[in-house]
Amino acid sequence: MNEMENNIHHILLALGSNIRAEENIREAQAYLTAKFPNMQFSRLLSTPAIGIVSPPFINCMAQAHCSVELDEVLDVLKSIEVAMGSTNEDRKKNVVVIDIDLLQFDNERRKTDDWDRDYIQLLYKELCCK
């Protein structure tokens, strides 16, 4: 295995939106594909809001292999959220333009509470069996 192959990472993401949700998910997918050309996406799934009073969310999951390190992946995800107009002020009002969470980086699972959610389990199984 050459040095480049040693630096390839697997990333697994969860995307969600509750305002113009399908449009915003599609826009986020375009941003992600531009940064990670081999990105694969699950289907879109409507889910009830969890822990907040809001319209239903549209969610999907995504995975890719990349040579980008963890900190840069997190920076890319945050920059996409900012570029799409997602703000803390809106989130305080239960308005989620776009939320992109890194659920796994290589073998490290992150956001462990999210893994217990039924829709995450469902979309993960569908995505990883593609």
Side-chain angles (χ1 to χ4, degrees):
M1 195 177 272
N2 68 35
E3 187 177 326
M4 180 63 179
E5 289 172 325
N6 289 332
N7 293 324
I8 298 298
H9 303 287
H10 177 254
I11 58 174
L12 184 68
L13 312 174
L15 289 74
S17 176
N18 69 354
I19 184 164
R20 296 184 337 273
E22 188 169 341
E23 176 186 332
N24 285 330
I25 292 292
R26 297 289 184 207
E27 184 177 345
Q29 289 176 332
Y31 274 110
L32 288 165
T33 301
K35 183 62 181 175
F36 307 106
N38 68 351
M39 185 71 67
Q40 295 179 305
F41 297 97
S42 72
R43 67 185 166 114
L44 304 187
L45 184 65
S46 179
T47 61
I50 298 173
I52 63 172
V53 176
S54 91
F57 278 73
I58 298 290
N59 296 97
C60 79
M61 291 185 71
Q63 69 175 349
H65 289 91
C66 64
S67 58
V68 178
E69 296 300 323
L70 175 61
D71 289 344
E72 189 178 342
V73 170
L74 293 171
D75 288 347
V76 165
L77 301 183
K78 181 53 71 184
S79 71
I80 293 170
E81 290 177 345
V82 169
M84 290 184 61
S86 184
T87 66
N88 288 333
E89 293 76 25
D90 279 346
R91 288 179 190 229
K92 288 175 186 170
K93 299 175 199 164
N94 298 334
V95 174
V96 181
V97 174
I98 192 68
D99 184 37
I100 309 172
D101 291 327
L102 178 62
L103 293 185
Q104 189 167 327
F105 185 83
D106 290 336
N107 294 320
E108 177 195 351
R109 282 195 171 184
R110 305 166 57 85
K111 303 263 183 187
T112 52
D113 290 347
D114 289 1
W115 282 96
D116 294 332
R117 296 179 177 173
D118 290 342
Y119 76 90
I120 294 287
Q121 290 295 317
L122 175 66
L123 293 176
Y124 175 73
K125 286 176 187 165
E126 292 177 6
L127 180 64
C128 292
C129 294
K130 273 188 164 183

